Amino acid sequence: MPRLTVNDRPVHFLMDSDTPLLWALRDAANLTGTKFGCGNGDCGACMVIIDGEAIRSCLVDLSEVEGRFVTTIEALSADRSHPVQQAMVAEGAIQCGFCTPGFVMAGAALLAKNPGATRDDIAAAIPNLCPCGAGPRILRAIERASRAVRRRERIDPLPAPGIDPAEAAQDVPAIDFTLATPSSESEE
Ligand code: FES
Ligand code: FES
């Protein structure tokens, strides 16, 4: 029964250890921002950050993330203010939005390690696909986020969407306790 930390919260997944992390996040932890695209590592829609690395969660079993720290799009920033998120909106780089969380997580992990990433660096490091054809705009947005991270450019925050993240969290609990429990409770 794998134990790991998801979005800074210790979680004990009551699932087989060979369950893909993607399904544990989506079905047990109700963290549906991480998307199921291809399920075989091709599209990047399921990208999360594990110990600082962008990793496709469909390719990783729970046993492989035992004791590790996983961050999903829900916890990248409390108020959607991460430079990659701001740049994606500012560049109009979101069409249907299905690929967006994966690109954002991949871009955020890349810029954390290489804030000066060039367009070529970004294209080489981020294998994600956008079937809508927004790929060039997405790469431009991540390049713009790189400038913002290095304070070469300021991206003016856009108006917040009409739903408060705290309210959304109330309506859709972040953890479904029928399948995933915080470690402390599971030990009682
Ligand atoms: S769903 Fe994981 S790479 Fe496509
Ligand atoms: S915006 Fe639709 S898949 Fe990328």
CSV table of all heavy atoms in Angstrom, one decimal, residues 61-117:
chain,number,residue,atom,x,y,z
A,61,ASP,N,4.3,3.4,-11.9
A,61,ASP,CA,3.5,2.7,-11.0
A,61,ASP,C,3.6,3.4,-9.6
A,61,ASP,O,4.7,4.0,-9.3
A,61,ASP,CB,3.9,1.3,-10.9
A,61,ASP,CG,3.5,0.5,-12.2
A,61,ASP,OD1,2.7,1.1,-13.0
A,61,ASP,OD2,4.0,-0.6,-12.3
A,62,LEU,N,2.6,3.1,-8.8
A,62,LEU,CA,2.7,3.6,-7.4
A,62,LEU,C,3.9,3.1,-6.7
A,62,LEU,O,4.5,3.9,-5.9
A,62,LEU,CB,1.4,3.2,-6.6
A,62,LEU,CG,0.2,4.1,-6.9
A,62,LEU,CD1,-1.0,3.5,-6.1
A,62,LEU,CD2,0.4,5.5,-6.5
A,63,SER,N,4.3,1.9,-7.0
A,63,SER,CA,5.5,1.4,-6.3
A,63,SER,C,6.7,2.2,-6.5
A,63,SER,O,7.7,2.3,-5.7
A,63,SER,CB,5.7,-0.1,-6.7
A,63,SER,OG,6.0,-0.1,-8.1
A,64,GLU,N,6.8,2.8,-7.7
A,64,GLU,CA,8.0,3.6,-8.1
A,64,GLU,C,8.0,5.0,-7.5
A,64,GLU,O,9.0,5.7,-7.6
A,64,GLU,CB,8.0,3.7,-9.6
A,64,GLU,CG,8.1,2.4,-10.3
A,64,GLU,CD,8.0,2.6,-11.9
A,64,GLU,OE1,9.0,2.9,-12.5
A,64,GLU,OE2,6.9,2.4,-12.4
A,65,VAL,N,6.9,5.4,-6.9
A,65,VAL,CA,6.9,6.7,-6.3
A,65,VAL,C,6.7,6.6,-4.7
A,65,VAL,O,6.5,7.6,-4.1
A,65,VAL,CB,5.7,7.6,-6.9
A,65,VAL,CG1,6.1,8.0,-8.3
A,65,VAL,CG2,4.4,6.9,-6.8
A,66,GLU,N,6.9,5.4,-4.2
A,66,GLU,CA,6.9,5.3,-2.8
A,66,GLU,C,7.9,6.2,-2.1
A,66,GLU,O,9.0,6.3,-2.5
A,66,GLU,CB,7.3,3.8,-2.5
A,66,GLU,CG,7.4,3.5,-1.0
A,66,GLU,CD,6.1,3.1,-0.4
A,66,GLU,OE1,5.4,2.3,-1.0
A,66,GLU,OE2,5.8,3.5,0.7
A,67,GLY,N,7.4,7.0,-1.2
A,67,GLY,CA,8.2,7.9,-0.4
A,67,GLY,C,8.7,9.2,-1.2
A,67,GLY,O,9.4,10.0,-0.7
A,68,ARG,N,8.1,9.4,-2.4
A,68,ARG,CA,8.6,10.5,-3.2
A,68,ARG,C,7.5,11.7,-3.1
A,68,ARG,O,6.5,11.5,-2.5
A,68,ARG,CB,8.8,10.1,-4.6
A,68,ARG,CG,9.9,9.0,-4.7
A,68,ARG,CD,10.2,8.6,-6.1
A,68,ARG,NE,10.9,9.6,-6.9
A,68,ARG,CZ,11.2,9.4,-8.1
A,68,ARG,NH1,10.9,8.3,-8.8
A,68,ARG,NH2,11.8,10.4,-8.8
A,69,PHE,N,7.9,12.8,-3.6
A,69,PHE,CA,7.1,14.0,-3.6
A,69,PHE,C,6.5,14.3,-5.0
A,69,PHE,O,7.3,14.6,-5.9
A,69,PHE,CB,7.9,15.2,-3.1
A,69,PHE,CG,8.3,15.1,-1.6
A,69,PHE,CD1,9.3,14.3,-1.2
A,69,PHE,CD2,7.5,15.8,-0.7
A,69,PHE,CE1,9.6,14.2,0.2
A,69,PHE,CE2,7.8,15.7,0.7
A,69,PHE,CZ,8.9,14.9,1.1
A,70,VAL,N,5.2,14.3,-5.0
A,70,VAL,CA,4.5,14.5,-6.3
A,70,VAL,C,3.8,15.8,-6.2
A,70,VAL,O,3.1,16.1,-5.3
A,70,VAL,CB,3.5,13.3,-6.6
A,70,VAL,CG1,2.7,13.6,-7.9
A,70,VAL,CG2,4.3,12.0,-6.7
A,71,THR,N,3.9,16.6,-7.3
A,71,THR,CA,3.2,17.8,-7.4
A,71,THR,C,2.3,17.8,-8.7
A,71,THR,O,2.8,17.4,-9.7
A,71,THR,CB,4.1,19.1,-7.5
A,71,THR,OG1,5.0,19.1,-6.3
A,71,THR,CG2,3.3,20.4,-7.5
A,72,THR,N,1.1,18.1,-8.5
A,72,THR,CA,0.2,18.1,-9.7
A,72,THR,C,-0.2,19.6,-10.0
A,72,THR,O,0.1,20.5,-9.2
A,72,THR,CB,-1.1,17.3,-9.4
A,72,THR,OG1,-1.9,18.0,-8.5
A,72,THR,CG2,-0.8,15.9,-8.9
A,73,ILE,N,-0.9,19.8,-11.1
A,73,ILE,CA,-1.2,21.1,-11.5
A,73,ILE,C,-2.0,21.9,-10.4
A,73,ILE,O,-1.9,23.1,-10.3
A,73,ILE,CB,-2.0,21.1,-12.9
A,73,ILE,CG1,-2.3,22.5,-13.4
A,73,ILE,CG2,-3.3,20.3,-12.7
A,73,ILE,CD1,-1.1,23.2,-14.0
A,74,GLU,N,-2.8,21.1,-9.6
A,74,GLU,CA,-3.6,21.8,-8.6
A,74,GLU,C,-2.8,22.5,-7.6
A,74,GLU,O,-3.3,23.4,-6.9
A,74,GLU,CB,-4.5,20.7,-7.9
A,74,GLU,CG,-5.7,20.2,-8.7
A,74,GLU,CD,-5.3,19.0,-9.6
A,74,GLU,OE1,-4.1,18.7,-9.8
A,74,GLU,OE2,-6.3,18.4,-10.2
A,75,ALA,N,-1.5,22.1,-7.4
A,75,ALA,CA,-0.7,22.7,-6.4
A,75,ALA,C,0.5,23.5,-6.9
A,75,ALA,O,1.4,23.9,-6.1
A,75,ALA,CB,-0.2,21.6,-5.4
A,76,LEU,N,0.5,23.7,-8.2
A,76,LEU,CA,1.7,24.4,-8.8
A,76,LEU,C,1.7,25.9,-8.2
A,76,LEU,O,2.7,26.4,-7.9
A,76,LEU,CB,1.6,24.5,-10.3
A,76,LEU,CG,2.8,25.1,-11.0
A,76,LEU,CD1,4.0,24.3,-10.7
A,76,LEU,CD2,2.5,25.2,-12.5
A,77,SER,N,0.5,26.5,-8.1
A,77,SER,CA,0.4,27.8,-7.4
A,77,SER,C,-1.0,27.9,-6.9
A,77,SER,O,-1.9,27.3,-7.4
A,77,SER,CB,0.7,28.9,-8.4
A,77,SER,OG,-0.4,29.0,-9.4
A,78,ALA,N,-1.1,28.5,-5.7
A,78,ALA,CA,-2.4,28.6,-5.1
A,78,ALA,C,-3.4,29.5,-5.9
A,78,ALA,O,-4.6,29.3,-5.8
A,78,ALA,CB,-2.2,29.2,-3.7
A,79,ASP,N,-2.8,30.4,-6.6
A,79,ASP,CA,-3.7,31.4,-7.3
A,79,ASP,C,-3.5,31.5,-8.8
A,79,ASP,O,-3.7,32.5,-9.4
A,79,ASP,CB,-3.5,32.8,-6.6
A,79,ASP,CG,-2.1,33.2,-6.6
A,79,ASP,OD1,-1.2,32.4,-7.2
A,79,ASP,OD2,-1.8,34.3,-6.1
A,80,ARG,N,-3.0,30.4,-9.4
A,80,ARG,CA,-2.7,30.4,-10.8
A,80,ARG,C,-1.7,31.4,-11.2
A,80,ARG,O,-1.8,31.9,-12.4
A,80,ARG,CB,-4.0,30.5,-11.6
A,80,ARG,CG,-5.1,29.6,-11.2
A,80,ARG,CD,-6.4,29.9,-11.9
A,80,ARG,NE,-7.5,29.1,-11.6
A,80,ARG,CZ,-8.4,29.4,-10.7
A,80,ARG,NH1,-8.3,30.6,-10.1
A,80,ARG,NH2,-9.4,28.6,-10.4
A,81,SER,N,-0.8,31.8,-10.3
A,81,SER,CA,0.1,32.9,-10.6
A,81,SER,C,1.5,32.4,-11.1
A,81,SER,O,2.4,33.2,-11.2
A,81,SER,CB,0.3,33.8,-9.4
A,81,SER,OG,0.9,33.0,-8.3
A,82,HIS,N,1.7,31.1,-11.3
A,82,HIS,CA,3.0,30.7,-11.8
A,82,HIS,C,3.3,31.3,-13.1
A,82,HIS,O,2.3,31.5,-13.9
A,82,HIS,CB,3.0,29.1,-11.9
A,82,HIS,CG,4.4,28.6,-12.2
A,82,HIS,ND1,5.0,28.7,-13.4
A,82,HIS,CD2,5.3,28.0,-11.4
A,82,HIS,CE1,6.2,28.2,-13.4
A,82,HIS,NE2,6.4,27.7,-12.1
A,83,PRO,N,4.5,31.8,-13.4
A,83,PRO,CA,4.8,32.5,-14.7
A,83,PRO,C,4.3,31.7,-15.9
A,83,PRO,O,3.9,32.3,-16.9
A,83,PRO,CB,6.3,32.7,-14.6
A,83,PRO,CG,6.6,32.7,-13.2
A,83,PRO,CD,5.7,31.8,-12.5
A,84,VAL,N,4.5,30.4,-15.9
A,84,VAL,CA,4.0,29.6,-17.0
A,84,VAL,C,2.5,29.7,-17.2
A,84,VAL,O,2.0,29.8,-18.3
A,84,VAL,CB,4.5,28.1,-16.9
A,84,VAL,CG1,3.9,27.3,-18.1
A,84,VAL,CG2,6.0,28.0,-16.9
A,85,GLN,N,1.8,29.6,-16.1
A,85,GLN,CA,0.3,29.8,-16.2
A,85,GLN,C,-0.1,31.2,-16.7
A,85,GLN,O,-0.9,31.3,-17.6
A,85,GLN,CB,-0.3,29.5,-14.8
A,85,GLN,CG,-0.2,28.1,-14.3
A,85,GLN,CD,-0.6,27.9,-12.9
A,85,GLN,OE1,-0.2,28.6,-12.0
A,85,GLN,NE2,-1.6,27.0,-12.7
A,86,GLN,N,0.6,32.2,-16.2
A,86,GLN,CA,0.3,33.5,-16.6
A,86,GLN,C,0.6,33.7,-18.1
A,86,GLN,O,-0.1,34.3,-18.8
A,86,GLN,CB,1.1,34.6,-15.8
A,86,GLN,CG,0.7,34.6,-14.3
A,86,GLN,CD,-0.6,35.3,-14.0
A,86,GLN,OE1,-1.2,35.8,-14.9
A,86,GLN,NE2,-1.0,35.3,-12.8
A,87,ALA,N,1.8,33.2,-18.5
A,87,ALA,CA,2.2,33.4,-19.9
A,87,ALA,C,1.3,32.6,-20.8
A,87,ALA,O,1.0,33.0,-22.0
A,87,ALA,CB,3.6,32.9,-20.0
A,88,MET,N,0.8,31.4,-20.4
A,88,MET,CA,-0.1,30.6,-21.3
A,88,MET,C,-1.4,31.4,-21.6
A,88,MET,O,-1.9,31.5,-22.7
A,88,MET,CB,-0.5,29.3,-20.6
A,88,MET,CG,0.7,28.3,-20.5
A,88,MET,SD,1.0,27.4,-22.0
A,88,MET,CE,-0.2,26.2,-22.0
A,89,VAL,N,-1.9,32.1,-20.5
A,89,VAL,CA,-3.1,32.9,-20.7
A,89,VAL,C,-2.8,34.1,-21.6
A,89,VAL,O,-3.5,34.4,-22.5
A,89,VAL,CB,-3.7,33.3,-19.4
A,89,VAL,CG1,-4.9,34.2,-19.6
A,89,VAL,CG2,-4.1,32.0,-18.6
A,90,ALA,N,-1.7,34.8,-21.2
A,90,ALA,CA,-1.3,36.0,-21.9
A,90,ALA,C,-1.1,35.8,-23.4
A,90,ALA,O,-1.4,36.7,-24.3
A,90,ALA,CB,-0.1,36.7,-21.3
A,91,GLU,N,-0.5,34.6,-23.8
A,91,GLU,CA,-0.3,34.3,-25.2
A,91,GLU,C,-1.4,33.7,-25.9
A,91,GLU,O,-1.4,33.3,-27.0
A,91,GLU,CB,0.9,33.4,-25.2
A,91,GLU,CG,2.3,34.0,-25.0
A,91,GLU,CD,2.7,35.0,-26.1
A,91,GLU,OE1,2.3,34.7,-27.3
A,91,GLU,OE2,3.3,36.0,-25.8
A,92,GLY,N,-2.5,33.5,-25.2
A,92,GLY,CA,-3.7,32.8,-25.8
A,92,GLY,C,-3.3,31.4,-26.3
A,92,GLY,O,-3.7,30.9,-27.3
A,93,ALA,N,-2.5,30.7,-25.4
A,93,ALA,CA,-1.9,29.4,-25.8
A,93,ALA,C,-2.8,28.3,-25.4
A,93,ALA,O,-2.4,27.1,-25.4
A,93,ALA,CB,-0.5,29.3,-25.2
A,94,ILE,N,-4.1,28.5,-25.1
A,94,ILE,CA,-5.0,27.5,-24.7
A,94,ILE,C,-6.2,27.4,-25.7
A,94,ILE,O,-6.9,28.4,-25.9
A,94,ILE,CB,-5.5,27.8,-23.3
A,94,ILE,CG1,-4.3,27.9,-22.3
A,94,ILE,CG2,-6.5,26.7,-22.8
A,94,ILE,CD1,-4.6,28.6,-21.0
A,95,GLN,N,-6.3,26.3,-26.3
A,95,GLN,CA,-7.4,26.1,-27.2
A,95,GLN,C,-8.5,25.3,-26.5
A,95,GLN,O,-9.3,25.8,-25.7
A,95,GLN,CB,-7.0,25.4,-28.5
A,95,GLN,CG,-8.0,25.4,-29.6
A,95,GLN,CD,-7.5,26.3,-30.8
A,95,GLN,OE1,-6.5,27.0,-30.7
A,95,GLN,NE2,-8.2,26.1,-31.9
A,96,CYS,N,-8.5,23.9,-26.6
A,96,CYS,CA,-9.5,23.2,-25.8
A,96,CYS,C,-9.0,23.0,-24.4
A,96,CYS,O,-9.8,22.8,-23.5
A,96,CYS,CB,-9.7,21.8,-26.4
A,96,CYS,SG,-8.4,20.6,-26.1
A,97,GLY,N,-7.7,23.1,-24.1
A,97,GLY,CA,-7.2,23.1,-22.8
A,97,GLY,C,-6.8,21.8,-22.3
A,97,GLY,O,-6.2,21.6,-21.2
A,98,PHE,N,-7.1,20.7,-23.0
A,98,PHE,CA,-6.8,19.4,-22.5
A,98,PHE,C,-5.3,19.1,-22.3
A,98,PHE,O,-4.9,18.5,-21.3
A,98,PHE,CB,-7.3,18.3,-23.5
A,98,PHE,CG,-7.4,16.9,-22.9
A,98,PHE,CD1,-8.5,16.6,-22.1
A,98,PHE,CD2,-6.4,16.0,-23.1
A,98,PHE,CE1,-8.5,15.3,-21.5
A,98,PHE,CE2,-6.4,14.8,-22.5
A,98,PHE,CZ,-7.5,14.4,-21.7
A,99,CYS,N,-4.5,19.6,-23.1
A,99,CYS,CA,-3.0,19.4,-23.0
A,99,CYS,C,-2.4,20.4,-22.0
A,99,CYS,O,-1.2,20.3,-21.7
A,99,CYS,CB,-2.3,19.6,-24.4
A,99,CYS,SG,-2.3,21.3,-25.0
A,100,THR,N,-3.1,21.5,-21.6
A,100,THR,CA,-2.5,22.6,-20.9
A,100,THR,C,-1.9,22.2,-19.6
A,100,THR,O,-0.7,22.6,-19.4
A,100,THR,CB,-3.6,23.7,-20.7
A,100,THR,OG1,-4.2,24.0,-21.9
A,100,THR,CG2,-3.0,24.9,-20.0
A,101,PRO,N,-2.5,21.4,-18.7
A,101,PRO,CA,-1.8,21.1,-17.5
A,101,PRO,C,-0.5,20.4,-17.7
A,101,PRO,O,0.5,20.7,-17.0
A,101,PRO,CB,-2.8,20.2,-16.7
A,101,PRO,CG,-4.1,20.5,-17.3
A,101,PRO,CD,-3.9,20.8,-18.8
A,102,GLY,N,-0.5,19.5,-18.6
A,102,GLY,CA,0.8,18.7,-18.9
A,102,GLY,C,1.9,19.7,-19.4
A,102,GLY,O,3.0,19.6,-18.9
A,103,PHE,N,1.5,20.6,-20.3
A,103,PHE,CA,2.6,21.5,-20.8
A,103,PHE,C,3.0,22.4,-19.6
A,103,PHE,O,4.2,22.8,-19.5
A,103,PHE,CB,2.0,22.4,-21.9
A,103,PHE,CG,2.2,21.8,-23.3
A,103,PHE,CD1,1.2,21.3,-24.0
A,103,PHE,CD2,3.5,21.9,-23.9
A,103,PHE,CE1,1.4,20.8,-25.3
A,103,PHE,CE2,3.7,21.4,-25.2
A,103,PHE,CZ,2.6,20.8,-25.9
A,104,VAL,N,2.1,22.9,-18.8
A,104,VAL,CA,2.4,23.8,-17.7
A,104,VAL,C,3.4,23.1,-16.8
A,104,VAL,O,4.4,23.7,-16.4
A,104,VAL,CB,1.2,24.3,-17.0
A,104,VAL,CG1,1.5,25.0,-15.7
A,104,VAL,CG2,0.4,25.2,-17.9
A,105,MET,N,3.1,21.9,-16.4
A,105,MET,CA,4.0,21.2,-15.5
A,105,MET,C,5.3,20.9,-16.1
A,105,MET,O,6.4,21.1,-15.4
A,105,MET,CB,3.3,19.8,-15.0
A,105,MET,CG,2.0,20.0,-14.3
A,105,MET,SD,2.1,21.2,-12.9
A,105,MET,CE,2.8,20.1,-11.6
A,106,ALA,N,5.4,20.6,-17.4
A,106,ALA,CA,6.7,20.3,-18.0
A,106,ALA,C,7.4,21.6,-18.1
A,106,ALA,O,8.7,21.7,-17.9
A,106,ALA,CB,6.4,19.8,-19.4
A,107,GLY,N,6.7,22.7,-18.4
A,107,GLY,CA,7.4,24.0,-18.5
A,107,GLY,C,7.9,24.5,-17.2
A,107,GLY,O,9.0,25.0,-17.1
A,108,ALA,N,7.1,24.3,-16.2
A,108,ALA,CA,7.5,24.7,-14.8
A,108,ALA,C,8.7,24.0,-14.3
A,108,ALA,O,9.7,24.6,-13.8
A,108,ALA,CB,6.3,24.5,-13.8
A,109,ALA,N,8.7,22.7,-14.6
A,109,ALA,CA,9.9,21.9,-14.2
A,109,ALA,C,11.2,22.3,-14.9
A,109,ALA,O,12.2,22.4,-14.3
A,109,ALA,CB,9.6,20.4,-14.4
A,110,LEU,N,11.0,22.6,-16.2
A,110,LEU,CA,12.2,23.0,-17.0
A,110,LEU,C,12.7,24.3,-16.5
A,110,LEU,O,13.9,24.5,-16.3
A,110,LEU,CB,11.8,23.1,-18.5
A,110,LEU,CG,12.8,23.7,-19.4
A,110,LEU,CD1,14.1,22.8,-19.4
A,110,LEU,CD2,12.3,23.9,-20.8
A,111,LEU,N,11.8,25.3,-16.3
A,111,LEU,CA,12.3,26.6,-15.9
A,111,LEU,C,12.9,26.6,-14.5
A,111,LEU,O,13.7,27.5,-14.2
A,111,LEU,CB,11.2,27.7,-16.1
A,111,LEU,CG,10.7,27.9,-17.5
A,111,LEU,CD1,9.7,29.0,-17.6
A,111,LEU,CD2,11.8,28.1,-18.5
A,112,ALA,N,12.4,25.7,-13.7
A,112,ALA,CA,13.0,25.6,-12.3
A,112,ALA,C,14.4,25.2,-12.4
A,112,ALA,O,15.3,25.6,-11.6
A,112,ALA,CB,12.2,24.6,-11.5
A,113,LYS,N,14.7,24.3,-13.4
A,113,LYS,CA,16.1,23.9,-13.5
A,113,LYS,C,16.9,24.8,-14.4
A,113,LYS,O,18.2,24.9,-14.3
A,113,LYS,CB,16.1,22.5,-14.1
A,113,LYS,CG,15.7,21.4,-13.1
A,113,LYS,CD,16.0,20.0,-13.5
A,113,LYS,CE,15.3,19.6,-14.7
A,113,LYS,NZ,15.4,18.2,-15.0
A,114,ASN,N,16.3,25.4,-15.4
A,114,ASN,CA,17.0,26.2,-16.4
A,114,ASN,C,16.2,27.4,-16.8
A,114,ASN,O,15.5,27.5,-17.8
A,114,ASN,CB,17.2,25.3,-17.7
A,114,ASN,CG,17.9,26.1,-18.8
A,114,ASN,OD1,18.5,27.2,-18.5
A,114,ASN,ND2,18.0,25.6,-20.0
A,115,PRO,N,16.2,28.4,-15.9
A,115,PRO,CA,15.4,29.6,-16.1
A,115,PRO,C,15.7,30.3,-17.4
A,115,PRO,O,14.8,31.0,-18.0
A,115,PRO,CB,15.8,30.5,-14.9
A,115,PRO,CG,16.4,29.6,-13.9
A,115,PRO,CD,17.0,28.5,-14.7
A,116,GLY,N,16.9,30.1,-17.9
A,116,GLY,CA,17.3,30.8,-19.2
A,116,GLY,C,17.0,30.0,-20.4
A,116,GLY,O,17.6,30.2,-21.5
A,117,ALA,N,16.1,29.0,-20.3
A,117,ALA,CA,15.9,28.1,-21.4
A,117,ALA,C,15.4,28.9,-22.7
A,117,ALA,O,14.6,29.8,-22.6
A,117,ALA,CB,14.8,27.1,-21.1
